Amino acid sequence: MRTLLKHLIALAACAAGLIPTLALAAPVQLCVDQIAFPSADGRVLGHLPYGDALTSDMVAAPPGFALGQCLIQRAAAVDLTRLIRATREVPEIAGTLRAVSCYRSIERQRAVFCGPVGPGKLYANALERARVVAPPGYSEHSTGYAVDFGLRPAPGCPDVDACISLTPAGRWLLAHAREYGFELSFPIGNPQAVTWEPWHWRWVGTSPKASGAATARAVFAKARTSFPAKPAVVDTADSWLHIMRQPPNPFAPISTPTAAPIPTPIKP
């Protein structure tokens, strides 16, 4: 009976165009009463899968920066410290940038995702919730490389809201965060159908040779090639990788080789 119910739910979702038919055999349990089906590229409700980082690989964010606890990958913490120090040199934003959220375990992400989902709650189902928060097991926060930035005092702009892009600190991040190895994961109109998140930045290092950057870039390889960040950290190595991974254009004109001219015989 339970199996039949799952298939009926899956068929209804297929009819609504929410999932591909081939996904019927692999449902993912997101919340107690919410399941979803991975797409062909492994995404669930638009989000790519990520594992849980080891807390032993992380350190606390610089003192005074976090609103609560903020753990971040050791390599990313070096550039985060540089970024914070740089903002202190800008009088208009000095001392205002804070961390709203950093590393979140998969179980913590489950609580964050599922809490407001259900009948009579803020979000009717997982599909609605996934537009603004990643499902458990599919959040960049579980890697330890992502930071949600906020402001204190908050200038009439609540945390995790696009209005941060209109503030001096938000504009500074958009202009300079990539100089410290951070890139904007979900730009305006991103093909993952995730809301624009100018507060959410992931660390990939300032170059492939930066300490720890190779590991971070491997974690986000699929995201960076299929769903590029903007602003993004761009360097020669990455640009060449992007070019090399481009599929051949099936509509490119086919050039026909020109036959070599036949030489005229020389008369004796």
Side-chain angles (χ1 to χ4, degrees):
M1 184 67 180
R2 184 174 299 176
T3 302
L4 176 62
L5 179 60
K6 285 186 177 180
H7 280 280
L8 288 174
I9 294 172
L11 289 171
C14 285
L18 299 181
I19 59 172
T21 305
L22 294 177
L24 291 178
V28 176
Q29 188 82 41
L30 301 178
C31 309
V32 173
D33 57 350
Q34 298 289 323
I35 62 171
F37 296 82
S39 57
D41 61 2
R43 286 185 296 150
V44 163
L45 303 179
H47 296 267
L48 288 163
Y50 294 103
D52 220 340
L54 297 174
T55 54
S56 58
D57 292 337
M58 290 180 281
V59 296
F65 174 63
L67 299 173
Q69 185 185 51
C70 174
L71 294 178
I72 188 169
Q73 291 278 355
R74 196 178 307 274
V78 175
D79 277 339
L80 179 61
T81 300
R82 292 176 54 241
L83 183 152
I84 295 169
R85 287 175 179 168
T87 63
R88 292 172 182 165
E89 302 301 317
V90 184
E92 195 175 10
I93 64 175
T96 63
L97 210 58
R98 295 286 187 276
V100 174
S101 185
C102 302
Y103 165 73
R104 291 200 296 259
S105 69
I106 290 178
E107 284 311 304
R108 172 59 182 156
Q109 188 70 21
R110 193 180 309 279
V112 170
F113 182 87
C114 297
V117 175
K121 295 185 178 181
L122 190 58
Y123 300 94
N125 52 51
L127 178 63
E128 290 185 8
R129 181 62 169 155
R131 293 194 180 103
V132 294
V133 173
Y138 297 82
S139 172
E140 293 186 348
H141 283 285
S142 66
T143 70
Y145 290 110
V147 176
D148 286 346
F149 289 94
L151 303 174
R152 291 296 185 274
C157 178
D159 293 334
V160 296
D161 192 287
C163 60
I164 192 175
S165 66
L166 303 177
T167 67
R171 291 197 300 268
W172 187 93
L173 285 171
L174 290 169
H176 299 288
R178 59 183 172 180
E179 298 167 17
Y180 302 89
F182 288 87
E183 58 184 20
L184 189 66
S185 301
F186 304 109
I188 293 177
N190 63 81
Q192 291 175 261
V194 178
T195 186
W196 178 38
E197 296 190 356
W199 63 85
H200 178 100
W201 297 76
R202 66 182 177 224
W203 183 86
V204 295
T206 53
S207 79
K209 295 181 180 179
S211 177
T215 301
R217 292 178 184 218
V219 169
F220 297 120
K222 177 66 175 178
R224 301 189 80 214
T225 53
S226 300
F227 309 102
K230 186 177 181 181
V233 175
V234 179
D235 50 53
T236 304
D238 280 350
S239 62
W240 275 108
L241 179 64
H242 181 69
I243 292 170
M244 290 170 64
R245 289 185 177 179
Q246 290 301 305
N249 181 0
F251 302 105
I254 300 173
S255 58
T256 304
T258 304
I262 300 174
T264 302
I266 299 175
K267 294 182 180 180

